[in-house]
């Protein structure tokens, strides 16, 4: 197969969708398929698949721009700035399958019908939500795909009667989290701090500000946040006020994240409606106990052995963090075992199978 992955943030941003596309695409390349990426960052040294750099303006430049239909957030503005270069670089006849999770502009380019010439089959991945697939409001009414990858069961059940779907979770590079690098903090009963880690964009729905507020009542807690976003100044200001000397905001290359996880006792994620969250499986692969919102989607990912809570209740969140710290040894091995279900190679095989099924179905129907 000749597969094209398109996402403005590729090779420039190390967030969930970008990481997922790169991991799946690199695995497909290793399986023997012809894989090309288009993104706005520079190609990294040693990157094996083909890469085409398409310029765009970073989403951070649009954080203060007005929000309106189509341009609902800074991501839509960034995507629009990516569009001219994509139109110049994209050659439909060069690919059998195209893949994106960007809507609306990238999806419209890749999925549009062509009266003459070849159009690859288009796969949309619900990394950022499934609204385009099921909503008929505003710009979502023009959504189209030939196959829909649903990254959680909710999305699959909601869309499986409308689109050809496959339920495929995100994954983790287990080789980077192998057990001979396990954290000494797991067995450290003399540490005077409870080191809590959040890996999160600094945006409202990730609820980092609430985490700072909820954790401030326990003077033993030191919070590290890895991420960036429009609320960075608010996060830093609140942390100075409520967690003086007990807070750190970091920007870390994804290749260094395993060591960051291993240097903490507890992983905390405060989002109430996360499509999947690669960070959950990274925490599992590190053996860290996970404190997150109590819902069936999160439970489907992390299992019953972790510490799910009503993340709108400050006292409950704090208690779960304290419990997770005390019981971290108990969940270490079980989390490592569960993480094996999410190895990127296994995930990429599911993508490969779905792409092949979509192609076979299309050619059979023709």
């Amino acid at each position: 197969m000749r597969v094209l992955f398109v996402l403005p943030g590729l090779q420039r941003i190390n967030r969930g969708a970008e990481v997922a596309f790169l991991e799946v695409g690199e695995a497909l390349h290793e399986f023997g398929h012809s894989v090309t990426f288009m993104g706005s960052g520079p190609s990294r040294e040693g990157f094996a698949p083909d890469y085409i750099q398409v310029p765009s303006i970073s989403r951070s430049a649009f954080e203060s721009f007005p929000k309106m239909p189509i341009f609902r957030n800074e991501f839509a503005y960034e995507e629009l700035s990516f569009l001219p270069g994509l139109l110049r670089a994209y050659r439909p006849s060069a690919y059998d399958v195209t893949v994106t999770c960007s809507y609306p502009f990238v999806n419209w380019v890749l999925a549009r019908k062509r009266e003459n010439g070849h159009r690859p089959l288009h796969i949309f991945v619900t990394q950022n939500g499934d609204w385009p697939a099921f909503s008929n409001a505003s710009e979502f009414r023009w959504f189209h795909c030939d196959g829909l990858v649903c990254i959680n069961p909710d999305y699959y059940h909601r869309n499986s009667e409308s689109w050809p779907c496959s339920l495929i979770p995100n994954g983790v590079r287990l080789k980077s989290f192998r057990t001979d690098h396990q954290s000494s903090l797991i067995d450290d009963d003399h540490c005077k701090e409870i080191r809590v880690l959040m890996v999160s964009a600094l945006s409202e729905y990730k609820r980092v500000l609430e985490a700072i507020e909820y954790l401030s009542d326990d003077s033993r807690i030191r919070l590290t946040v890895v991420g960036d976003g429009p609320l960075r100044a608010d996060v830093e200001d609140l942390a100075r006020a409520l967690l003086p000397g007990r807070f750190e905001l970091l920007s870390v290359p994804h290749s260094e994240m395993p060591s960051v996880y291993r240097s903490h006792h507890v992983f905390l994620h405060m989002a109430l409606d996360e499509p999947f969250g690669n960070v959950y499986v990274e925490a599992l692969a590190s053996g860290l106990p996970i404190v997150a919102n109590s819902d069936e989607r999160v439970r489907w990912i992390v299992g019953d052995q972790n510490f799910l809570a009503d993340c709108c209740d400050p006292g409950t969140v704090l208690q779960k963090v304290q419990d997770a710290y005390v019981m971290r040894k108990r969940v270490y091995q079980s989390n490592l075992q569960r993480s094996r279900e999410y190895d990127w190679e296994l995930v990429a095989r599911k993508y490969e199978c779905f792409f092949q099924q979509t192609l076979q179905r299309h050619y059979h129907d023709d």
Side-chain angles (χ1 to χ4, degrees):
M1 287 185 296
R2 301 171 302 165
V3 184
L4 171 66
F5 290 86
V6 182
L7 196 58
L10 286 174
Q11 301 287 37
R12 184 169 52 82
I13 297 170
N14 290 318
R15 292 181 181 169
E18 287 79 9
V19 170
F21 275 25
L22 290 171
E23 292 285 0
V24 170
E26 288 188 270
L28 291 175
H29 172 79
E30 291 175 1
F31 298 163
H33 300 290
S34 173
V35 177
T36 303
F37 289 93
M38 289 187 186
S40 62
S43 181
R44 69 175 187 262
E45 185 177 352
F47 188 70
D50 292 335
Y51 181 76
I52 300 172
Q53 186 174 10
V54 175
S56 74
I57 300 173
S58 172
R59 62 192 66 173
S60 61
F62 301 110
E63 290 173 355
S64 62
F65 274 47
K67 306 300 187 287
M68 65 189 79
I70 297 184
F71 299 104
R72 301 177 187 277
N73 48 46
E74 62 270 19
F75 306 106
Y77 283 103
E78 177 189 54
E79 192 179 340
L80 180 63
S81 75
F82 182 77
L83 193 61
L86 173 60
L87 289 170
R88 289 192 298 269
Y90 178 46
R91 300 290 181 268
S93 61
Y95 310 104
D96 302 309
V97 176
T98 62
V99 188
T100 194
C101 61
S102 272
Y103 193 82
F105 303 112
V106 172
N107 175 266
W108 290 346
V109 168
L110 300 179
R112 64 178 175 170
K113 294 181 180 179
R114 297 176 183 272
E115 294 182 2
N116 298 305
H118 170 79
R119 178 181 77 79
L121 297 188
H122 179 55
I123 305 295
F124 189 83
V125 186
T126 57
Q127 292 289 349
N128 301 316
D130 67 336
W131 301 281
F134 75 84
S135 175
N136 288 318
S138 191
E139 72 272 18
F140 300 123
R141 72 187 68 179
W142 295 297
F143 173 82
H144 179 74
C145 69
D146 299 294
L148 188 73
V149 172
C150 298
I151 63 173
N152 64 56
D154 298 345
Y155 293 175
Y156 181 81
H157 294 312
R158 184 155 53 206
N159 295 288
S160 59
E161 293 186 1
S162 301
W163 306 99
C165 290
S166 184
L167 174 59
I168 307 177
N170 284 343
V172 63
R173 183 172 288 194
L174 291 180
K175 290 182 289 187
S176 300
F177 293 86
R178 59 187 183 272
T179 56
D180 58 337
H181 284 172
Q182 70 186 55
S183 172
S184 61
L185 294 179
I186 294 297
D187 296 318
D188 185 358
D189 294 322
H190 305 290
C191 185
K192 296 180 180 179
E193 296 179 324
I194 301 175
R195 298 179 185 173
V196 179
L197 174 66
M198 297 186 74
V199 181
S200 177
L202 307 183
S203 57
E204 288 186 10
Y205 86 96
K206 296 291 190 177
R207 306 182 70 245
V208 176
L209 292 171
E210 288 82 354
I212 293 171
E213 179 183 348
Y214 294 1
L215 300 182
S216 63
D217 286 341
D218 189 335
S219 61
R220 298 174 299 164
I221 291 178
R222 180 179 183 87
L223 176 62
T224 301
V225 177
V226 179
D228 195 12
L231 295 183
R232 70 184 68 82
D234 295 330
V235 166
E236 291 176 327
D237 288 345
L238 187 63
R240 275 194 292 269
L242 299 184
L243 296 174
R246 298 188 288 129
F247 177 81
E248 191 172 19
L249 180 62
L250 301 177
S251 179
V252 179
H254 190 258
S255 60
E256 298 178 14
M257 284 305 300
S259 63
V260 174
Y261 281 98
R262 288 192 292 268
S263 63
H264 290 81
H265 296 110
V266 177
F267 179 78
L268 172 64
H269 199 65
M270 291 282 290
L272 302 179
D273 185 21
E274 188 76 71
F276 185 90
N278 294 22
V279 292
Y280 292 135
V281 292
E282 292 176 351
L284 287 174
S286 306
L288 285 185
I290 297 168
V291 178
N293 193 52
S294 180
D295 63 48
E296 288 307 309
R297 186 184 301 169
V298 177
R299 195 176 304 277
W300 176 73
I301 301 169
V302 306
D304 295 321
Q305 71 273 21
N306 282 284
F307 302 84
L308 304 188
D310 177 359
C311 279
C312 291
D313 184 332
T316 300
V317 171
L318 180 58
Q319 184 63 57
K320 289 290 186 179
V321 168
Q322 294 165 339
D323 292 344
Y325 171 74
V326 171
M327 292 187 280
R328 64 193 186 278
K329 295 180 187 179
R330 185 181 304 176
V331 302
Y332 178 75
Q333 288 296 338
S334 59
N335 277 1
L336 290 183
Q337 180 66 31
R338 190 173 186 87
S339 72
R340 294 172 186 167
E341 303 173 17
Y342 298 105
D343 184 83
W344 274 123
E345 183 174 343
L346 298 177
V347 172
R349 287 295 186 190
K350 294 179 181 180
Y351 271 86
E352 178 186 47
C353 182
F354 185 52
F355 292 172
Q356 290 171 338
Q357 290 173 348
T358 304
L359 287 165
Q360 290 169 1
R361 182 176 56 252
H362 173 75
Y363 291 132
H364 180 268
D365 291 344
D366 287 351

PDB file of all heavy atoms in Angstrom, residues 14 224-227 249-260:
ATOM      1  N   ASN A  14       4.670  17.444  19.739  1.00  0.00           N
ATOM      2  CA  ASN A  14       4.654  16.076  20.261  1.00  0.00           C
ATOM      3  C   ASN A  14       3.427  15.855  21.137  1.00  0.00           C
ATOM      4  O   ASN A  14       3.531  15.583  22.328  1.00  0.00           O
ATOM      5  CB  ASN A  14       5.929  15.801  21.069  1.00  0.00           C
ATOM      6  CG  ASN A  14       7.148  15.716  20.193  1.00  0.00           C
ATOM      7  OD1 ASN A  14       7.115  15.119  19.125  1.00  0.00           O
ATOM      8  ND2 ASN A  14       8.230  16.329  20.632  1.00  0.00           N
ATOM      9  N   THR A 224       4.579  18.335  38.670  1.00  0.00           N
ATOM     10  CA  THR A 224       5.257  18.627  37.409  1.00  0.00           C
ATOM     11  C   THR A 224       4.239  18.553  36.286  1.00  0.00           C
ATOM     12  O   THR A 224       3.496  17.567  36.196  1.00  0.00           O
ATOM     13  CB  THR A 224       6.384  17.615  37.129  1.00  0.00           C
ATOM     14  OG1 THR A 224       7.330  17.651  38.198  1.00  0.00           O
ATOM     15  CG2 THR A 224       7.083  17.938  35.815  1.00  0.00           C
ATOM     16  N   VAL A 225       4.206  19.571  35.429  1.00  0.00           N
ATOM     17  CA  VAL A 225       3.334  19.580  34.256  1.00  0.00           C
ATOM     18  C   VAL A 225       4.218  19.661  33.019  1.00  0.00           C
ATOM     19  O   VAL A 225       5.060  20.567  32.906  1.00  0.00           O
ATOM     20  CB  VAL A 225       2.350  20.761  34.282  1.00  0.00           C
ATOM     21  CG1 VAL A 225       1.508  20.774  33.001  1.00  0.00           C
ATOM     22  CG2 VAL A 225       1.445  20.681  35.508  1.00  0.00           C
ATOM     23  N   VAL A 226       4.037  18.734  32.114  1.00  0.00           N
ATOM     24  CA  VAL A 226       4.742  18.740  30.835  1.00  0.00           C
ATOM     25  C   VAL A 226       3.726  19.130  29.763  1.00  0.00           C
ATOM     26  O   VAL A 226       2.771  18.385  29.510  1.00  0.00           O
ATOM     27  CB  VAL A 226       5.357  17.372  30.503  1.00  0.00           C
ATOM     28  CG1 VAL A 226       6.053  17.409  29.148  1.00  0.00           C
ATOM     29  CG2 VAL A 226       6.339  16.952  31.598  1.00  0.00           C
ATOM     30  N   GLY A 227       3.921  20.292  29.168  1.00  0.00           N
ATOM     31  CA  GLY A 227       2.986  20.731  28.143  1.00  0.00           C
ATOM     32  C   GLY A 227       3.059  22.222  27.927  1.00  0.00           C
ATOM     33  O   GLY A 227       3.785  22.947  28.616  1.00  0.00           O
ATOM     34  N   LEU A 249       7.047  23.504  35.337  1.00  0.00           N
ATOM     35  CA  LEU A 249       6.442  23.421  34.014  1.00  0.00           C
ATOM     36  C   LEU A 249       7.540  23.124  33.010  1.00  0.00           C
ATOM     37  O   LEU A 249       8.513  23.879  32.901  1.00  0.00           O
ATOM     38  CB  LEU A 249       5.732  24.731  33.663  1.00  0.00           C
ATOM     39  CG  LEU A 249       5.050  24.793  32.291  1.00  0.00           C
ATOM     40  CD1 LEU A 249       3.949  23.751  32.172  1.00  0.00           C
ATOM     41  CD2 LEU A 249       4.482  26.201  32.049  1.00  0.00           C
ATOM     42  N   LEU A 250       7.401  22.019  32.261  1.00  0.00           N
ATOM     43  CA  LEU A 250       8.460  21.571  31.379  1.00  0.00           C
ATOM     44  C   LEU A 250       7.964  21.437  29.943  1.00  0.00           C
ATOM     45  O   LEU A 250       6.785  21.181  29.690  1.00  0.00           O
ATOM     46  CB  LEU A 250       8.977  20.194  31.825  1.00  0.00           C
ATOM     47  CG  LEU A 250       9.555  20.063  33.231  1.00  0.00           C
ATOM     48  CD1 LEU A 250       9.926  18.609  33.494  1.00  0.00           C
ATOM     49  CD2 LEU A 250      10.760  20.972  33.399  1.00  0.00           C
ATOM     50  N   SER A 251       8.891  21.564  29.012  1.00  0.00           N
ATOM     51  CA  SER A 251       8.691  21.195  27.621  1.00  0.00           C
ATOM     52  C   SER A 251       9.779  20.189  27.288  1.00  0.00           C
ATOM     53  O   SER A 251      10.973  20.521  27.332  1.00  0.00           O
ATOM     54  CB  SER A 251       8.768  22.414  26.701  1.00  0.00           C
ATOM     55  OG  SER A 251       8.601  22.049  25.359  1.00  0.00           O
ATOM     56  N   VAL A 252       9.382  18.957  26.974  1.00  0.00           N
ATOM     57  CA  VAL A 252      10.328  17.844  26.868  1.00  0.00           C
ATOM     58  C   VAL A 252      10.121  17.125  25.547  1.00  0.00           C
ATOM     59  O   VAL A 252       8.978  16.825  25.180  1.00  0.00           O
ATOM     60  CB  VAL A 252      10.125  16.849  28.043  1.00  0.00           C
ATOM     61  CG1 VAL A 252      11.077  15.666  27.928  1.00  0.00           C
ATOM     62  CG2 VAL A 252      10.320  17.560  29.377  1.00  0.00           C
ATOM     63  N   PRO A 253      11.180  16.824  24.797  1.00  0.00           N
ATOM     64  CA  PRO A 253      11.014  15.989  23.593  1.00  0.00           C
ATOM     65  C   PRO A 253      10.382  14.656  23.952  1.00  0.00           C
ATOM     66  O   PRO A 253      10.640  14.098  25.027  1.00  0.00           O
ATOM     67  CB  PRO A 253      12.453  15.806  23.091  1.00  0.00           C
ATOM     68  CG  PRO A 253      13.226  16.920  23.698  1.00  0.00           C
ATOM     69  CD  PRO A 253      12.580  17.219  25.014  1.00  0.00           C
ATOM     70  N   HIS A 254       9.575  14.141  23.040  1.00  0.00           N
ATOM     71  CA  HIS A 254       8.865  12.895  23.337  1.00  0.00           C
ATOM     72  C   HIS A 254       9.822  11.744  23.625  1.00  0.00           C
ATOM     73  O   HIS A 254       9.511  10.858  24.431  1.00  0.00           O
ATOM     74  CB  HIS A 254       7.941  12.529  22.178  1.00  0.00           C
ATOM     75  CG  HIS A 254       7.006  11.412  22.507  1.00  0.00           C
ATOM     76  ND1 HIS A 254       7.198  10.118  22.075  1.00  0.00           N
ATOM     77  CD2 HIS A 254       5.875  11.381  23.270  1.00  0.00           C
ATOM     78  CE1 HIS A 254       6.235   9.358  22.542  1.00  0.00           C
ATOM     79  NE2 HIS A 254       5.422  10.076  23.260  1.00  0.00           N
ATOM     80  N   SER A 255      10.992  11.766  23.020  1.00  0.00           N
ATOM     81  CA  SER A 255      11.957  10.684  23.243  1.00  0.00           C
ATOM     82  C   SER A 255      12.449  10.642  24.687  1.00  0.00           C
ATOM     83  O   SER A 255      12.937   9.604  25.154  1.00  0.00           O
ATOM     84  CB  SER A 255      13.152  10.846  22.298  1.00  0.00           C
ATOM     85  OG  SER A 255      13.803  12.089  22.528  1.00  0.00           O
ATOM     86  N   GLU A 256      12.332  11.749  25.413  1.00  0.00           N
ATOM     87  CA  GLU A 256      12.805  11.815  26.796  1.00  0.00           C
ATOM     88  C   GLU A 256      11.694  11.579  27.817  1.00  0.00           C
ATOM     89  O   GLU A 256      11.942  11.571  29.026  1.00  0.00           O
ATOM     90  CB  GLU A 256      13.472  13.170  27.058  1.00  0.00           C
ATOM     91  CG  GLU A 256      14.706  13.411  26.191  1.00  0.00           C
ATOM     92  CD  GLU A 256      15.330  14.775  26.424  1.00  0.00           C
ATOM     93  OE1 GLU A 256      14.969  15.418  27.444  1.00  0.00           O
ATOM     94  OE2 GLU A 256      16.151  15.211  25.602  1.00  0.00           O
ATOM     95  N   MET A 257      10.459  11.383  27.336  1.00  0.00           N
ATOM     96  CA  MET A 257       9.349  11.241  28.267  1.00  0.00           C
ATOM     97  C   MET A 257       9.424   9.996  29.160  1.00  0.00           C
ATOM     98  O   MET A 257       9.008  10.059  30.323  1.00  0.00           O
ATOM     99  CB  MET A 257       8.025  11.259  27.500  1.00  0.00           C
ATOM    100  CG  MET A 257       7.610  12.651  27.035  1.00  0.00           C
ATOM    101  SD  MET A 257       7.514  13.860  28.371  1.00  0.00           S
ATOM    102  CE  MET A 257       6.280  13.112  29.428  1.00  0.00           C
ATOM    103  N   PRO A 258       9.946   8.857  28.695  1.00  0.00           N
ATOM    104  CA  PRO A 258      10.019   7.715  29.620  1.00  0.00           C
ATOM    105  C   PRO A 258      10.754   8.036  30.914  1.00  0.00           C
ATOM    106  O   PRO A 258      10.318   7.632  31.995  1.00  0.00           O
ATOM    107  CB  PRO A 258      10.757   6.658  28.795  1.00  0.00           C
ATOM    108  CG  PRO A 258      10.369   6.962  27.388  1.00  0.00           C
ATOM    109  CD  PRO A 258      10.324   8.465  27.322  1.00  0.00           C
ATOM    110  N   SER A 259      11.840   8.782  30.832  1.00  0.00           N
ATOM    111  CA  SER A 259      12.580   9.124  32.053  1.00  0.00           C
ATOM    112  C   SER A 259      11.800  10.094  32.925  1.00  0.00           C
ATOM    113  O   SER A 259      11.936  10.073  34.156  1.00  0.00           O
ATOM    114  CB  SER A 259      13.951   9.710  31.701  1.00  0.00           C
ATOM    115  OG  SER A 259      13.811  10.919  30.976  1.00  0.00           O
ATOM    116  N   VAL A 260      10.968  10.943  32.303  1.00  0.00           N
ATOM    117  CA  VAL A 260      10.123  11.858  33.078  1.00  0.00           C
ATOM    118  C   VAL A 260       9.096  11.063  33.874  1.00  0.00           C
ATOM    119  O   VAL A 260       8.890  11.295  35.078  1.00  0.00           O
ATOM    120  CB  VAL A 260       9.437  12.885  32.156  1.00  0.00           C
ATOM    121  CG1 VAL A 260       8.437  13.737  32.954  1.00  0.00           C
ATOM    122  CG2 VAL A 260      10.462  13.784  31.478  1.00  0.00           C
TER     123      VAL A 260
END
